Amino acid sequence: NGVIGSLVTLQDIRTRTEPFLADEYLEGYVVSDFRSQNMAENPNTAHSTLDKSVSQKTVYVSAQDGSCGARLIFDNAKDNVLKPGMKVTFSLGGVTLVKKEAPECYTLKGIRTDNLLKVENGFEVAPKVKTISELSPADIYTYVTLTDVEFVNKKGAYTNIREGYNFFDGWASLLVDAQGASIF
């Protein structure tokens, strides 16, 4: 691939306990789009104010086979130029790994423009097709298509935010599949 150093895979970061070295790098395939404004949960910075830049700084990368993924958070929104279909190789020097236990997921923070070593276009990651009950933590930050799913609405029309209260990033909506499994 023309990059000098030691490759750390998305699978490797799941067992990582020590900080990254300056010569280590990671490759991933972008499966998200920061332009959607739904990439991350934007935190409240005051009672009725959201920091909407978190979505703009966030990108999800997956292994090409879709087996696992990670969330990348850039320091600055302007540095996140990654789009779906790109293969990205970036230096892990200065990057921090944050592991969350429930659900198990992995975030790489502190990414800057100078971490990007190589960006290539024209790559596709095929979505995994699953039912809700087949989802596992390994599916977090990967490309998944859910089958036979519907929004449950007791009354009224579906909306992903409650317009009367603009202090929320989103509004929980129940999804149910044909097998009766459900998630918010």
Side-chain angles (χ1 to χ4, degrees):
N1 69 8
V3 177
I4 298 171
S6 300
L7 173 66
V8 176
T9 67
L10 286 165
Q11 195 64 39
D12 293 339
I13 67 171
R14 286 160 161 57
T15 57
R16 187 72 180 225
T17 56
E18 66 275 353
F20 295 116
L21 302 174
D23 72 337
E24 291 181 308
Y25 68 93
L26 186 136
E27 294 177 339
Y29 297 82
V30 178
V31 294
S32 65
D33 193 339
F34 67 89
R35 295 170 295 180
S36 76
Q37 300 300 306
N38 289 314
M39 290 310 312
E41 183 176 0
N42 294 303
N44 281 72
T45 55
H47 175 67
S48 61
T49 306
L50 288 171
D51 175 6
K52 294 183 180 180
S53 72
V54 176
S55 280
Q56 297 163 355
K57 293 188 275 189
T58 301
V59 65
Y60 302 155
V61 294
S62 171
Q64 190 170 29
D65 66 0
S67 61
C68 58
R71 175 175 56 177
L72 312 181
I73 300 179
F74 283 81
D75 282 344
N76 297 301
K78 67 178 177 49
D79 294 338
N80 182 10
V81 296
L82 303 178
K83 296 177 184 170
M86 291 180 163
K87 177 183 177 184
V88 62
T89 304
F90 62 94
S91 166
L92 292 169
V95 173
T96 303
L97 174 64
V98 179
K99 297 179 182 182
K100 185 177 171 189
E101 296 297 325
E104 182 183 347
C105 57
Y106 302 86
T107 299
L108 297 164
K109 294 176 111 178
I111 298 176
R112 301 169 313 279
T113 301
D114 58 343
N115 288 97
L116 298 178
L117 302 174
K118 193 174 187 182
V119 177
E120 302 171 80
N121 289 306
F123 291 87
E124 294 296 323
V125 174
K128 297 178 276 189
V129 179
K130 294 190 171 196
T131 63
I132 292 172
S133 61
E134 293 171 325
L135 292 173
S136 74
D139 296 316
I140 296 174
Y141 308 131
T142 67
Y143 189 17
V144 178
T145 296
L146 295 175
T147 60
D148 299 319
V149 176
E150 66 181 1
F151 286 101
V152 176
N153 293 312
K154 291 186 178 182
K155 55 186 168 181
Y158 166 75
T159 182
N160 67 338
I161 60 170
R162 191 169 178 178
E163 294 294 342
Y165 301 97
N166 227 355
F167 355 115
F168 300 113
D169 189 38
W171 197 256
S173 298
L174 184 63
L175 297 173
V176 175
D177 68 14
Q179 292 76 31
S182 62
I183 57 173
F184 282 99

